[in-house]
Amino acid sequence: MIDTATLRDKARAALTRCGVSDLDGDVLTARSPVTGEPLFGIGGSGDVQSAVASAREAFLQWRNTPAPVRGALVRRLGQLIGEHREELADLVGIEAGKIRSEALGEVQEMIDICDFAQGLSRQLYGRTMPSERPGHRLMETWHPLGVVGVISAFNFPVAVWSWNTAIALTCGNSVVWKPSEQTPLTALACSALLDRAIAETGAPAGLHRLLIGGPEVGEQLVDSPDVPLISATGSTRMGRAVGPRVAARFGRTILELGGNNAAVVSAAADLDLAVNAIVFAAAGTAGQRCTTMRRLIVHEDVADELIDRIAAAYRRLPVGDPFDDKTLVGPLINEAAHDRLRAALTQAASEGGQLLAGGERELTDDASGAFYVRPALVRMPAQSEIVRQETFGPILYAMTYSTLEEAIDLHNGVPQGLSSAIFTRDQREAERFLSADGADCGIVNVNAGTSGAEIGGAFGGEKETGGGRESGSDAWRAYMRRATNTVSYAEELVLAQDVSFL
Ligand code: NAD
């Protein structure tokens, strides 16, 4: 197992190469879930008010910069991220405990969204509509909003920032970022790279500001009247606090909150494919993705075979040091996450659940601050309370069904609505799941797991997941305001709906 001194050296080296100077301080202590120990104290980055004020000033200039020129900034950011891929992946591994391929995958997502945003900089299209009046033109134009506040969660410490920031900057906004207090180092590194891209491309300084701190710093950002859009990613609990506060001042939100994602596995499924997809989606990232598969709804004819195969795969999963190439499941983020996982397993047992694999702490003695857990598979009765909750760790609840209607009812019968999947080779079943009275989530997949979305699509979910959309497709519209324009080139005044006046 890698030790804390090595992690500390790795982190310092990565930060230095990314251009972070002036590191040490006492605002926050950076920790690693890999060993559960503190790494070093880091300094703050100024107060919320001055960060917003300088971002606002930069915005006033940036909004008049042609969009394709803005795109050049995001292109440079993507290049710099690519040049620092290894260092950034080191930091993601150190702070979030991700295994190497997932940490590299998260960095790749940043590069991909920068590519996307650069292309978008020439495609911020508005529509032209036929006017009902002669000599008139009706069209819409899109303008930036102002300062975008980004609040992000620990489990995607950099990808979520990049989805928001690459698109917000391309749309002509400036950004103030409040990363998770669990992952300040990745934030410092990304912010330094963006500062460098800003300086190299001649964009206004202050276009991006970083706020290091906990929820109280997030709250100040949320309440700032000069931040027209708050894009907040985290728990539903956080969204419940943030949403009404921003709404009270008529600000806008993009809320990306908790998920409780399920897969339906039909009797017509390719079980080999389903097992691999389910194990990745449920156990990968130690169950700490918003899109992690948490519920399995299996047809009764194939349930025993499928569940046995998943249990066998779970028992073989290499759990441990995320810096070891053979590891597939790294640590939980902290002790509180482990406590919540144990409490959920206790409740599941009290509701008739049968633990088939995993759930126990591994590798470390009780005194250690690191929490490694073998992913848990629990067979549950269809109706139970615990399966309605998101427990942010590797627990998969397996339930059975007999008709597709019943499966869809079970699937939709939870408060969250992020990601869903059906495994079937029966096209009718697949189409039914994709239809309006099928799965009620923002992401609905066929023969692909619930996690691992591409940046090209709009990402987000319904119900208590918050309704926001980020990343690809036309998610950019949430970062802009729309103006509808009527232009008359008629000789006389013509009123709509044939109204005559004067
Ligand atoms: P969290 O809610 O504890 O914290 C998320 C962020 O919100 C942090 O930066 C935190 O400081 C800030 N915050 C918390 N309370 C706040 C408040 N009242 N005002 C302003 N800011 C506040 O979440 P976490 O433990 O870091 O992340 C795990 C959760 O995030 C899970 O529920 C997961 O499903 C969710 N998540 C959702 C998505 C998505 O796209 N839907 C993506 C990643 C994570």
Side-chain angles (χ1 to χ4, degrees), residues 151-156 160 178-181 213-215 218-219 222 233-238 241-242 256-259 290 390 392 418 459 465:
I151 296 174
S152 55
F154 81 84
N155 65 319
F156 272 95
V160 167
K178 209 299 282 172
S180 165
E181 54 279 20
E219 281 174 14
V222 161
T233 300
S235 56
T236 296
R237 177 182 38 79
M238 178 275 285
V242 167
E256 300 284 356
L257 311 175
C290 49
E390 178 196 53
F392 209 58
L418 181 52
F459 182 92
T465 302

Side-chain angles (χ1 to χ4, degrees), residues 467-490:
R469 291 296 184 277
E470 286 176 359
S471 193
S473 185
D474 63 353
W476 61 270
R477 289 171 190 239
Y479 300 81
M480 302 197 86
R481 64 183 171 85
R482 179 197 320 239
T484 301
N485 314 128
T486 305
V487 180
S488 169
Y489 54 95

Side-chain angles (χ1 to χ4, degrees), residues 212-236:
I212 296 291
E216 67 294 344
V217 176
E219 281 174 14
Q220 289 175 49
L221 186 61
V222 161
D223 289 339
S224 173
D226 286 330
V227 181
L229 172 65
I230 293 284
S231 176
T233 300
S235 56
T236 296

Side-chain angles (χ1 to χ4, degrees), residues 364-394:
T364 43
D365 57 51
D366 285 350
S368 163
F371 291 85
Y372 290 86
V373 173
R374 179 162 298 281
L377 177 64
V378 187
R379 195 154 180 168
M380 290 298 290
Q383 300 303 333
S384 54
E385 202 38 48
I386 191 66
V387 302
R388 294 169 47 76
Q389 297 171 21
E390 178 196 53
T391 301
F392 209 58

Side-chain angles (χ1 to χ4, degrees), residues 190-405:
C190 288
S191 190
L193 292 175
L194 179 49
D195 282 349
R196 186 172 150 197
I198 288 170
E200 285 179 9
T201 56
L207 204 50
H208 181 260
R209 292 293 307 266
L210 177 66
L211 294 171
I212 296 291
E216 67 294 344
V217 176
E219 281 174 14
Q220 289 175 49
L221 186 61
V222 161
D223 289 339
S224 173
D226 286 330
V227 181
L229 172 65
I230 293 284
S231 176
T233 300
S235 56
T236 296
R237 177 182 38 79
M238 178 275 285
R240 270 192 222 291
V242 167
R245 285 172 90 130
V246 181
R249 60 174 175 85
F250 295 98
R252 292 194 202 172
T253 49
I254 297 173
L255 295 177
E256 300 284 356
L257 311 175
N260 188 358
N261 318 294
V264 171
V265 182
S266 105
D270 174 338
L271 290 192
D272 292 339
L273 183 143
V275 169
N276 289 339
I278 291 164
V279 173
F280 170 67
T285 333
Q288 298 170 117
R289 287 194 189 212
C290 49
T291 50
T292 289
M293 191 183 293
R294 308 199 180 280
R295 298 176 299 137
L296 194 58
I297 302 164
V298 198
H299 192 274
E300 56 198 10
D301 288 353
V302 291
D304 289 345
E305 181 188 348
L306 182 81
I307 292 169
D308 283 353
R309 287 178 67 176
I310 295 170
Y314 268 32
R315 289 186 201 108
R316 287 194 304 269
L317 278 174
V319 178
D321 177 0
F323 285 91
D324 179 336
D325 285 345
K326 289 190 285 301
T327 298
L328 292 181
V329 179
L332 296 179
I333 190 69
N334 54 25
E335 184 168 10
H338 178 253
D339 290 348
R340 287 192 287 267
L341 178 127
R342 293 299 314 164
L345 289 174
T346 304
Q347 186 176 337
S350 75
E351 293 184 26
Q354 186 194 356
L355 182 66
L356 303 176
E360 292 299 328
R361 198 170 163 201
E362 293 198 1
L363 297 170
T364 43
D365 57 51
D366 285 350
S368 163
F371 291 85
Y372 290 86
V373 173
R374 179 162 298 281
L377 177 64
V378 187
R379 195 154 180 168
M380 290 298 290
Q383 300 303 333
S384 54
E385 202 38 48
I386 191 66
V387 302
R388 294 169 47 76
Q389 297 171 21
E390 178 196 53
T391 301
F392 209 58
I395 306 179
L396 181 62
Y397 301 112
M399 296 156 276
T400 56
Y401 76 90
S402 57
T403 67
L404 189 58
E405 290 309 309

